[in-house]
Amino acid sequence: MSQENLGQAKRVMDALSRRDLSRLLSFADPEVEWQSFFAELGEGGVYRGHDGTREYLSDLDDAWEIVRADVDDGVAVGDVAVLVGRIHYCGKTSGIETESAAGWMLKFRGGRVIRFRAFREPEKALEAAGLRE
């Protein structure tokens, strides 16, 4: 199951990068929680459920011309997948394009993402998954 979750995590990241709402909703559990450092307008930076998924993508779209994740590596253990790589982004207001290291932790239930957390430091994603001290 963990290899399937790793593949699914990469598909979730692709849907996020493309801002493909219908595809993202098909990957998301109805009780999904999204937590990202890019769109922290939700309640404490957390977006909940399918309505939260819509709000999360809308907030990303409002602030960023480009938000694209490039996954370099990943590991899955049980129902958790951790991806590390880089995030490319360009602010709509500033027009400045840049990239930085990032990490993502995704937890799955029944093949659908139930929890998503994005981190500015890849090591934090490993820590959140309990894979690094």
Side-chain angles (χ1 to χ4, degrees):
M1 184 60 130
S2 56
Q3 285 305 316
E4 292 170 16
N5 288 338
L6 185 58
Q8 188 72 335
K10 291 177 182 178
R11 288 185 286 279
V12 168
M13 296 306 296
D14 180 64
L16 271 173
S17 291
R18 295 174 188 274
R19 299 182 200 174
D20 185 340
L21 179 61
S22 62
R23 192 165 165 229
L24 200 55
L25 288 173
S26 75
F27 296 149
D29 186 273
E31 298 177 15
V32 67
E33 289 186 359
W34 303 95
Q35 187 172 5
S36 172
F37 58 84
F38 273 111
E40 296 181 347
L41 302 176
E43 183 183 317
V46 177
Y47 299 82
R48 291 181 173 83
H50 284 183
D51 286 342
T53 304
R54 290 178 186 90
E55 183 182 358
Y56 176 44
L57 283 187
S58 177
D59 286 352
L60 285 174
D61 202 41
D62 287 347
W64 304 101
E65 188 69 37
I66 299 170
V67 176
R68 185 185 75 243
D70 288 334
V71 175
D72 294 329
D73 204 358
V75 62
V77 177
D79 60 357
V80 175
V82 175
L83 306 172
V84 294
R86 297 165 323 285
I87 190 115
H88 300 266
Y89 50 98
C90 177
K92 281 193 173 180
T93 304
S94 70
I96 297 172
E97 188 170 345
T98 190
E99 79 172 27
S100 63
W104 303 273
M105 189 275 302
L106 296 89
K107 184 172 183 178
F108 293 89
R109 178 171 64 199
R112 298 175 88 189
V113 65
I114 187 74
R115 181 139 171 79
F116 170 94
R117 291 190 64 195
F119 300 89
R120 292 182 190 276
E121 300 162 6
E123 297 81 14
K124 299 279 187 191
L126 292 168
E127 289 172 14
L131 300 176
R132 182 180 170 134
E133 294 183 19

